[in-house]
Amino acid sequence: MHGTDTLPDILVGPLLRRISTTRLVMWIVATRPLTMTLVLRPGQHDAESIGLAHHHQCVAIGKRAFIHLIDIELDTPLPCDERIEYDLQIETMQGSVQSLPEWAPWLCYEGADYPAFVIASSHHRLMHGSCRKPHHDSPDGLVRADSWLGDQQAAPTEWPAWLLMTGDQVYADDVAGPMLRAVHALIERLGLVDEQLEGATVNDSQALYDSPDSYYCRAALLPDFTSNAALRERFFGGVKKPVFTSSNAHNHLMTLAEMLAMYCLVWSPVAWQVIAPTPPALDEKDAELYRQEQKVIDTFVEGLPQCARLMAHLPSLMIFDDNPNVAA
């Protein structure tokens, strides 16, 4: 296992959430508890530095993974319809201060010193998205959205008021083999939380990850409920279904750690930089599918710097849907 000192301080984010003239909410995923300062640069106004010691919650989700929820009530309202640059400064393990353009230069648009946000005075324009499906063989919509926003940097009144994600955010029930392999590699790298699995044919999350049925055969590991026969007959024609009733349950995410890792891997390029997953042992048919999916996943990963940049500039609102959702 690699030491903590070989990991970057920030894995994911910042992702902007609720942004108003008097309140700023954003979150990041870090590899340790952090001491941070937020610096705001609203247009021609003086920069304001805000120490975040009393403005954020830090939740451990693993040995080397911490969600930081930053929630600031502002004494002086920020202006609307103006580009407001911000810098999230972190104190390093050596005691120095590192600016955001140093630890995440890809989050700044060309010609800009820092990322920025705009507080819209009205909901004149919204940007809409839904679920992340990394193995869907098509251009990434968030990459296209980032390109569009890049063209609007000098026109803050054209920026969308919100990015609305009205879906599950990730497909938990339709996961490619290489994506699941990356999920497990990140779980191990970060030491994400373990859990017991009641009623399944494996006792805990580690046994699930190590099982030869973990890839493309997950339905065989799940508890199979036979109760409520009338309801099963109505919806599934009497066919016995596992606890997850998706038709794609062969790679269904099962544990909290898998969900947490999946979100890190669909929002940030950094999570991919700390892992080096290799293919699992598969039969010939699944191995060929794995290779085909890997090509699509590789293209998806190439676009993640742009996706992260978009999420660092536009406040995003997300909803719960029919799959577990830990990012809403």
Side-chain angles (χ1 to χ4, degrees), residues 229-252:
L231 186 65
R232 189 174 67 251
E233 176 68 32
R234 179 178 177 182
F235 284 99
F236 305 118
V239 177
K240 294 172 66 176
K241 298 292 289 186
V243 63
F244 294 141
T245 56
S246 169
S247 61
N248 296 307
H250 57 281
N251 267 352
H252 204 305

Side-chain angles (χ1 to χ4, degrees), residues 37-54:
T37 299
L38 181 68
V39 182
L40 299 175
R41 294 179 170 84
Q44 302 301 316
H45 304 274
D46 293 336
E48 179 182 2
S49 296
I50 305 170
L52 299 183
H54 303 294

Side-chain angles (χ1 to χ4, degrees), residues 22-142:
T22 57
R23 186 182 180 192
L24 303 178
V25 180
M26 62 183 73
W27 66 263
I28 63 173
V29 180
T31 57
R32 61 183 180 88
L34 295 175
T35 298
M36 298 177 288
T37 299
L38 181 68
V39 182
L40 299 175
R41 294 179 170 84
Q44 302 301 316
H45 304 274
D46 293 336
E48 179 182 2
S49 296
I50 305 170
L52 299 183
H54 303 294
H55 296 285
H56 89 282
Q57 300 177 42
C58 178
V59 179
I61 58 174
K63 297 176 182 177
R64 294 168 292 280
F66 299 83
I67 295 176
H68 292 261
L69 175 63
I70 299 167
D71 191 344
I72 304 170
E73 296 282 351
L74 299 170
D75 295 329
T76 303
L78 292 169
C80 291
D81 302 324
E82 293 184 17
R83 191 177 187 276
I84 301 173
E85 292 188 334
Y86 70 94
D87 183 13
L88 187 61
Q89 301 174 347
I90 61 174
E91 184 177 313
T92 68
M93 295 285 285
Q94 293 73 35
S96 61
V97 174
Q98 195 172 39
S99 185
L100 186 150
E102 297 178 85
W103 56 262
W106 57 88
L107 295 182
C108 302
Y109 284 103
E110 184 177 357
D113 294 327
Y114 300 96
F117 57 84
V118 173
I119 302 170
S121 57
S122 65
H123 294 176
H124 64 296
R125 176 178 286 115
L126 302 174
M127 187 172 284
H128 178 255
S130 187
C131 312
R132 302 287 278 158
K133 186 176 180 180
H135 63 290
H136 184 64
D137 193 5
S138 71
D140 191 330
L142 290 187

Side-chain angles (χ1 to χ4, degrees), residues 45-306:
H45 304 274
D46 293 336
E48 179 182 2
S49 296
I50 305 170
L52 299 183
H54 303 294
H55 296 285
H56 89 282
Q57 300 177 42
C58 178
V59 179
I61 58 174
K63 297 176 182 177
R64 294 168 292 280
F66 299 83
I67 295 176
H68 292 261
L69 175 63
I70 299 167
D71 191 344
I72 304 170
E73 296 282 351
L74 299 170
D75 295 329
T76 303
L78 292 169
C80 291
D81 302 324
E82 293 184 17
R83 191 177 187 276
I84 301 173
E85 292 188 334
Y86 70 94
D87 183 13
L88 187 61
Q89 301 174 347
I90 61 174
E91 184 177 313
T92 68
M93 295 285 285
Q94 293 73 35
S96 61
V97 174
Q98 195 172 39
S99 185
L100 186 150
E102 297 178 85
W103 56 262
W106 57 88
L107 295 182
C108 302
Y109 284 103
E110 184 177 357
D113 294 327
Y114 300 96
F117 57 84
V118 173
I119 302 170
S121 57
S122 65
H123 294 176
H124 64 296
R125 176 178 286 115
L126 302 174
M127 187 172 284
H128 178 255
S130 187
C131 312
R132 302 287 278 158
K133 186 176 180 180
H135 63 290
H136 184 64
D137 193 5
S138 71
D140 191 330
L142 290 187
V143 172
R144 176 65 187 93
D146 169 79
S147 177
W148 181 89
L149 189 64
D151 293 337
Q152 311 300 321
Q153 288 301 294
T157 57
E158 296 300 313
W159 287 30
W162 299 96
L163 168 62
L164 302 181
M165 308 291 283
T166 57
D168 304 318
Q169 317 322 318
V170 298
Y171 277 82
D173 60 341
D174 188 359
V175 182
M179 193 70 195
L180 186 58
R181 192 66 166 175
V183 162
H184 291 164
L186 191 62
I187 289 173
E188 180 180 4
R189 187 76 171 90
L190 301 180
L192 296 185
V193 291
D194 288 323
E195 60 188 276
Q196 300 296 309
L197 300 175
E198 295 183 7
T201 58
V202 288
N203 294 326
D204 55 36
S205 52
Q206 289 300 320
L208 168 67
Y209 309 149
D210 294 337
S211 171
D213 290 327
S214 189
Y215 297 90
Y216 301 108
C217 297
R218 291 198 140 198
L221 301 173
L222 294 166
D224 187 14
F225 293 107
T226 58
S227 59
N228 206 339
L231 186 65
R232 189 174 67 251
E233 176 68 32
R234 179 178 177 182
F235 284 99
F236 305 118
V239 177
K240 294 172 66 176
K241 298 292 289 186
V243 63
F244 294 141
T245 56
S246 169
S247 61
N248 296 307
H250 57 281
N251 267 352
H252 204 305
L253 300 180
M254 294 185 187
T255 67
L256 174 61
E258 288 180 336
M259 290 296 300
L260 294 170
M262 182 74 169
Y263 277 101
C264 291
L265 291 164
V266 300
W267 296 133
S268 172
V270 183
W272 291 90
Q273 297 167 7
V274 302
I275 58 174
T278 57
L282 299 169
D283 61 30
E284 184 176 348
K285 178 182 177 182
D286 288 339
E288 176 57 28
L289 175 58
Y290 189 100
R291 287 189 290 269
Q292 293 175 6
E293 291 174 334
Q294 184 68 69
K295 295 177 181 178
V296 182
I297 296 293
D298 290 344
T299 301
F300 172 83
V301 174
E302 290 175 0
L304 285 176
Q306 293 95 309

